[in-house]
Structures are given as C-alpha cells and as structure tokens.
C-alpha cells in the first residue's frame, strides 16, 4: 500500500511561485504535487536547483489555467512551463511511460489520473517522492528512508529500468557522487550489466552528467567504486588502473593518483576538475625504467594533453573549455619558482584565470604524492600562490595593455608605423617584467627614446 504520512514539512519554505501554481491547480479541482529532485533536496535541507510540479490536469487545462504565464515546452510529454514573478516552474501531467526502443526515450507516453502511477516511472526511490501544499509526503517506495540511510535504489526492477533508459546509469553515478550515496547492490549490479547500452546516450547528455560527476563532492570515491562504468565511457583511462609508477614519490597507481588529484582540486571549477582527472592519462605509454629501476614518464604531459583533447572532442565539449583543459595538462609540470618575474611571465603566457588554475592543479598533483617527498615542493607552491595573489592585487603589469605607454606614444616620437613599434613595446614589457624598469610613463618613454636613437645611429652611421 502507499505510504502516505503527515509530516510537518515547512511548506512556507516552498518558493512563492510554486505555492501559487499548486494552489491554482487545486482550486481548479486538480491534484498538484511538487515532485522529484526538489522534494529530495528539500528533505536534505538543500536548495533545489529547479522545481517540478506534477498534476492530474491535462496539458491543455494547464495552458488554459495559466494563460499568458504558460509556455508549452514539452507538450508531447505533458510539460508546460509556468513563469510567475520571474520564477519558472515545470508543470507536467501525471503520466506513464510506454515502451522503449532506443534505450533512451519512451516511444509514447500516456496521461493518467494517478500520482502513484506517475511515481512508478521515476528512476530512483529518492526521486520518486511528492509533496503537496499541506506538507503531505507521498513516498510509496520509501525514498525517505533510503535518503536517510544514504542508499540509491531503483524504482522497480533495476535491470529493466536501466535498459529502458541508459542515461539512468549515469544519473545513478551522479547522485552517488553528489550526495555520497551507496548504490544498493542489485541496482549496482544491474548498472554493470546494462552499461553497454550507454552507447545509446548522446554525447551532450553524457557530457552534462560527467560535468556534474567530476565536480561533485564525492567524485573520487564514486569513480573508484564504479570505475567499470567510467572506463566504458573513457577506455583511455582503463590502463591507469593498476599501473605502478615505481618511483618513491608515488605510493599509488596512476588511476588512484588521478582520483586523489581530482579530490584536491576546486569543485567549483569544471575545467580544473577535468584537467586533474586527465592530467596523467598519457603516462602508461610514456613509461621508462632507468638503470636503477626507477620509473620515469618523460613527455607524458604532451601525451596526456593529446588524449584529453580527443576525449573532449568526443564529448562535444566547447572549444574554449577544451583549449583550457588541454593547456593546463600540457603545462602541469610547471617549474616551482617563487619569483615575481617568473610569475609575471606565467601571467603573460596563460592569463590570470589559467595561471591560478595551473598552480592549483600543480598543488593537487603534489598533494596526491607521498607527503615526505612533496613537502618542500608544496612550500614553494604555496609561496607561488601567495605571490600570484599579491601581483594580481597590486595589478602588476604583465601584458602590453598594462604597460604605461602605447603605440601612439611611439608614433609621436617619430618611430615609423610597423613591426618595430610592437617589438619596442614588447622589449619594454620584458624590462618591466624582469623588474629592470618601473612601469612608469616617463621612464619608459625615455628608455624607448634611447633605444630608438641608438638604432638610428646604427642604421645611418654617416649622420
Ligand atoms: P537535478 O535537478 O538536481 O538534476 P533531478 O532529480 O531533479 O535532479 P531532473 O532531471 O530535474 O533531475 O528530473 C526531475 C525528476 O524527473 C527526477 O527527480 C526523476 O523523478 C524524474 N526523472 C528525470 N530523469 C529521469 C529519467 N531519465 N528516468 C526516470 N525518471 C527521471
Ligand atoms: Mg530537477
């Protein structure tokens, strides 16, 4: 039987727009419930990303009820978007999904008058709960107790559910990684068995799930536990597992090391997380053992970058992110030199955002090594981070546009238009970066003038 329980859920915490939508539908004689992720997140005390409402009202009835505030965003699936006070609520008619042929989307959907039937089609017990205006919770599959126990479990028969829609396999990994859930054994076993169906999922959907997985708080532990699913998507990563580095700096194989680096990178930053996870992906093909039996991986940053680029392409990642990830991996063995001029050069070469990321990546990489070996390097790295922060704070000059003089100043000096102007400006910048000249207009103008005078004398020795 359906577990209906009265619960003191603080309904006043629901956004105003959601309350209005639920009330209007109920006043129209319909059933209306918040459902899915927003209920799950509310029970966890988290702020939901989006609010979904499920209702007995048919799409045309929803359209009519909300008039100009309604937009038919997915009518064939019964979804209408209602925007009130700048907030959008997705309102979907109770429905049952039909058969599946493409392991991704139902061939047809049927509307129903039963909330329970609608909850049956949902993927996991923690996503199959509904909450109404009176704080009444419908939870026929005991999602609340799974949530409390930290368990992810399919609604219904796991293997069938993953076969119907293989995206659910990745959603499971994502929910585990985001909430630190353990996947219930039958559900986990079914994921492994149905993993071949992942090839039916589009690159776009794979990318959006994987982006959320790699930036999740429990990403490393989840990828370690469900690596076979991950290796199916990224076969290039399989050889990392069990690959011993044979170097006193490393206590872990390359796969474990990559996961550790991921766990030490910044979860707010998708680019950095991908770079950390992929930074050593080229190591196995660069392995070489020296006469003393110590392992080395000469050239692995470039090899890793090349493999990472292929992966980004396959995932249809946009050009900008791809380039940023590839650049970080290429440079991840950046020298540890806590000097102003070196950091200014880094800023010039990579820009502020990438330079900061590069240091964070280098730090994460060191934090994933044997502490006794990494300690000194970590100290240098922290000095570099400190210095970088200071340079950015004082708005230090590291690029042409920060320089106190411009091309026009040189033209005014009588220097002819052309490549020489650019060269002189670059030379002046180089002097400033080296700390040989202050970034002051008069000083720089004088310096350029002197160089220009000398150049003229060289070119016209008879003058
Ligand atoms: P989030 O919004 O944080 O991504 P969510 O669980 O709300 O998580 P949505 O994609 O917004 O995910 O979907 C809302 C709800 O619809 C889910 O909670 C679930 O009940 C159902 N759902 C979504 N995708 C699927 C799917 N592929 N198979 C079955 N049910 C699904
Ligand atoms: Mg949602």
């Amino acid at each position: 039987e359906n577990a209906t329980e009265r619960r003191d859920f603080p309904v006043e915490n629901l956004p105003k727009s959601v309350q209005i939508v639920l009330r209007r539908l109920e006043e129209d004689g319909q059933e209306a419930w918040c459902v899915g992720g927003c209920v799950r997140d509310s029970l966890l005390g988290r702020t939901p990303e989006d609010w979904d409402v499920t209702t007995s009202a048919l799409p045309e009835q929803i359209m009519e009820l909300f008039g100009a505030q309604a937009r038919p965003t997915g009518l064939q699936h019964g979804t209408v978007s209602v925007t009130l006070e700048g907030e959008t609520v997705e309102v979907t008619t109770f429905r049952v999904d039909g058969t599946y042929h493409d392991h991704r989307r139902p061939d047809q959907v049927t509307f129903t008058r039963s909330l329970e039937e609608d909850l049956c089609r949902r993927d996991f017990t923690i996503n199959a709960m509904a909450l109404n205006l009176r704080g009444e919770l419908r939870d026929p599959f005991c999602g609340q107790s799974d949530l409390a126990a930290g368990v992810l479990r399919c609604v219904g028969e796991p293997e069938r559910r993953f076969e119907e829609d293989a995206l659910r396999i990745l959603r499971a990994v994502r929910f585990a990684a985001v909430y630190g859930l353990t996947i219930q054994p039958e559900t986990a076993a079914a994921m492994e068995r149905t993993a071949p169906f992942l090839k039916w999922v589009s690159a776009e959907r794979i990318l959006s799930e994987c982006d959320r997985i790699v930036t999740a708080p429990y990403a490393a532990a989840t990828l370690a536990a469900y690596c076979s699913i991950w290796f199916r998507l990224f076969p290039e990563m399989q050889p990392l597992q069990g690959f011993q580095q044979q170097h006193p700096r490393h206590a872990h194989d390359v796969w474990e090391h990559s996961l550790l680096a991921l766990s030490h990178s910044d979860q707010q930053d998708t680019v950095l997380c991908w770079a950390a996870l992929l930074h050593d992906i080229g190591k196995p093909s660069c392995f070489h053992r020296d006469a003393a039996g110590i392992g080395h991986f000469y050239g692995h940053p470039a090899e890793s970058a090349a493999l990472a680029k292929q992966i980004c392409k396959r995932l249809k990642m946009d050009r900008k992110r791809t380039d940023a990830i590839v650049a970080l991996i290429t440079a991840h063995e950046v020298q540890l030199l806590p000097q102003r001029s070196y950091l200014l050069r880094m800023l010039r070469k990579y820009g502020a955002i990438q330079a900061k990321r590069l240091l964070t990546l280098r730090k994460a990489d060191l934090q994933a090594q044997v502490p006794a070996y990494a300690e000194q390097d970590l100290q240098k790295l922290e000095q570099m981070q400190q210095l970088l922060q200071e340079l950015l704070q004082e708005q230090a000059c590291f690029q042409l546009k920060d320089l106190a003089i411009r091309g026009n100043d040189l033209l005014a000096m009588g220097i002819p238009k052309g490549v020489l102007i650019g060269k002189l400006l670059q030379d002046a910048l180089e002097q400033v970066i080296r700390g040989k000249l202050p970034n002051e207009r008069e000083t720089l103008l004088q310096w350029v003038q002197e160089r220009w005078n000398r150049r003229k004398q060289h070119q016209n020795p008879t003058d």
Side-chain angles (χ1 to χ4, degrees):
E1 258 309 286
N2 300 324
T4 303
E5 59 189 78
R6 295 219 161 262
R7 191 178 179 283
D8 261 342
F9 189 85
V11 174
E12 55 289 356
N13 288 358
L14 303 184
K16 274 270 135 20
S17 54
V18 175
Q19 294 188 38
I20 295 169
V21 167
L22 294 176
R23 192 164 302 118
R24 277 213 218 148
L25 283 161
E26 285 200 355
E27 281 167 3
D28 201 44
Q30 303 288 353
E31 265 192 68
W33 302 76
C34 295
V35 71
C38 59
V39 177
R40 174 197 72 218
D41 288 344
S42 299
L43 291 174
L44 285 171
R46 294 177 174 233
T47 310
E49 279 181 29
D50 44 45
W51 289 83
D52 295 309
V53 164
T54 187
T55 178
S56 55
L58 292 169
E60 16 333 341
Q61 296 175 305
I62 307 168
M63 289 294 292
E64 200 182 302
L65 196 58
F66 291 97
Q69 296 153 326
R71 265 176 312 121
T73 39
L75 270 194
Q76 68 282 22
H77 297 111
T79 303
V80 173
S81 296
V82 177
T83 305
L84 295 171
E85 299 170 11
E87 291 178 321
T88 299
V89 183
E90 302 258 285
V91 184
T92 303
T93 307
F94 293 160
R95 67 170 218 234
V96 180
D97 294 339
T99 49
Y100 288 74
H101 278 101
D102 65 357
H103 305 291
R104 183 59 199 92
R105 299 191 170 283
D107 302 327
Q108 74 288 320
V109 304
T110 317
F111 300 132
T112 154
R113 300 287 305 171
S114 152
L115 171 66
E116 272 67 26
E117 284 184 340
D118 182 88
L119 293 176
C120 273
R121 75 173 169 90
R122 295 175 183 274
D123 46 7
F124 305 107
T125 63
I126 62 168
N127 290 343
M129 295 182 272
L131 180 72
N132 70 7
L133 260 183
R134 284 163 298 285
E136 193 182 319
L137 189 76
R138 280 293 164 84
D139 178 16
F141 308 105
C142 305
Q144 211 182 356
S145 77
D146 278 346
L147 201 55
V151 171
L152 189 77
R153 186 193 313 266
C154 275
V155 168
E157 209 246 295
E159 194 151 339
R160 215 192 91 208
R161 303 311 311 280
F162 291 127
E163 244 178 65
E164 287 173 349
D165 176 3
L167 180 66
R168 290 170 188 154
I169 301 168
L170 276 189
R171 283 174 58 89
V173 177
R174 190 242 296 182
F175 290 123
V178 170
Y179 301 102
L181 306 175
T182 305
I183 304 181
Q184 181 257 347
E186 274 175 47
T187 296
M191 284 164 65
E192 308 259 343
R193 283 197 297 272
T194 55
F197 294 119
L198 278 170
K199 64 169 183 282
W200 291 80
V201 181
S202 71
E204 288 79 1
R205 299 307 298 260
I206 290 180
L207 177 60
S208 79
E209 290 302 328
C210 289
D211 276 342
R212 297 177 76 169
I213 292 168
V214 299
T215 52
Y218 302 91
T222 304
L223 292 185
Y226 306 103
C227 59
S228 65
I229 307 278
W230 193 254
F231 295 152
R232 192 168 283 278
L233 296 175
F234 304 103
E236 300 93 335
M237 304 202 80
Q238 173 101 61
L240 307 187
Q241 193 176 41
F243 201 100
Q244 299 305 330
Q245 312 206 45
Q246 308 193 25
H247 193 289
R249 260 188 182 276
H250 290 283
H252 301 282
D253 68 33
V254 184
W255 169 240
E256 293 163 344
H257 168 75
S258 304
L259 292 179
L260 268 174
L262 172 64
S263 73
H264 285 293
S265 53
D266 174 6
Q267 284 161 24
Q268 310 296 317
D269 188 341
T270 324
V271 165
L272 190 62
C273 288
W274 277 111
L277 186 62
L278 303 178
H279 78 285
D280 276 349
I281 191 173
K283 266 190 172 176
S285 60
C286 297
F287 182 70
H288 149 85
R289 204 187 340 240
D290 67 18
I294 304 288
H296 301 281
F297 300 92
Y298 298 119
H300 82 271
E303 183 66 23
S304 301
L307 283 172
K309 190 170 188 168
Q310 284 176 20
I311 288 176
C312 294
K313 258 202 169 142
R314 202 165 71 224
L315 291 174
K316 301 200 176 152
M317 205 182 274
D318 65 69
R319 178 72 188 272
K320 200 175 156 209
R321 283 175 69 199
T322 303
D323 290 349
I325 293 166
V326 170
L328 290 175
I329 296 176
T330 305
H332 83 263
E333 293 221 301
V334 63
Q335 209 187 332
L336 296 173
L337 212 53
Q339 288 173 2
R340 273 181 78 92
S341 57
Y342 183 69
L343 285 157
L344 287 169
R345 260 181 245 289
M346 264 182 73
L347 283 168
R348 175 169 60 175
K349 184 161 178 191
Y350 299 107
I353 294 173
Q354 281 284 93
K356 272 199 247 180
R357 279 178 175 151
L358 189 52
L359 293 185
T360 313
L361 175 61
R362 187 79 160 94
K363 187 173 182 178
D365 191 3
L366 287 170
Q367 284 170 314
Q369 298 177 5
V370 174
Y373 277 84
E375 200 184 293
Q376 278 197 334
D377 284 350
L378 272 170
Q379 274 171 15
K380 281 192 217 161
L381 200 118
E382 270 153 28
Q383 285 176 284
M384 288 174 82
Q385 286 182 312
Q386 178 74 36
L387 253 174
L388 189 78
Q389 205 53 42
E390 284 167 21
L391 291 172
L392 291 172
Q393 221 136 52
E394 71 192 46
Q395 297 187 305
C397 166
F398 60 84
Q399 51 196 345
L400 281 187
K401 72 175 160 72
D402 304 328
L403 210 57
I405 54 171
R406 324 235 142 244
N408 280 342
D409 299 318
L410 276 61
L411 286 172
M413 241 176 238
I415 304 175
K417 228 177 175 154
V419 286
L420 182 61
I421 301 251
K423 165 135 188 13
L424 285 168
L425 286 172
Q426 286 291 356
D427 290 349
L429 175 62
E430 184 61 30
Q431 295 299 312
V432 172
I433 285 179
R434 283 199 202 161
K436 299 262 155 96
L437 286 177
N439 187 25
E440 288 164 12
R441 193 176 156 75
E442 285 314 314
T443 319
L444 293 177
L445 285 175
Q446 203 185 330
W447 185 83
V448 172
Q449 184 73 62
E450 279 165 20
R451 288 191 52 122
W452 173 234
N453 290 344
R454 247 183 294 146
R455 210 186 158 93
K456 277 192 301 193
Q457 278 165 17
H458 271 291
Q459 281 171 350
N460 309 304
T462 52
D463 279 8

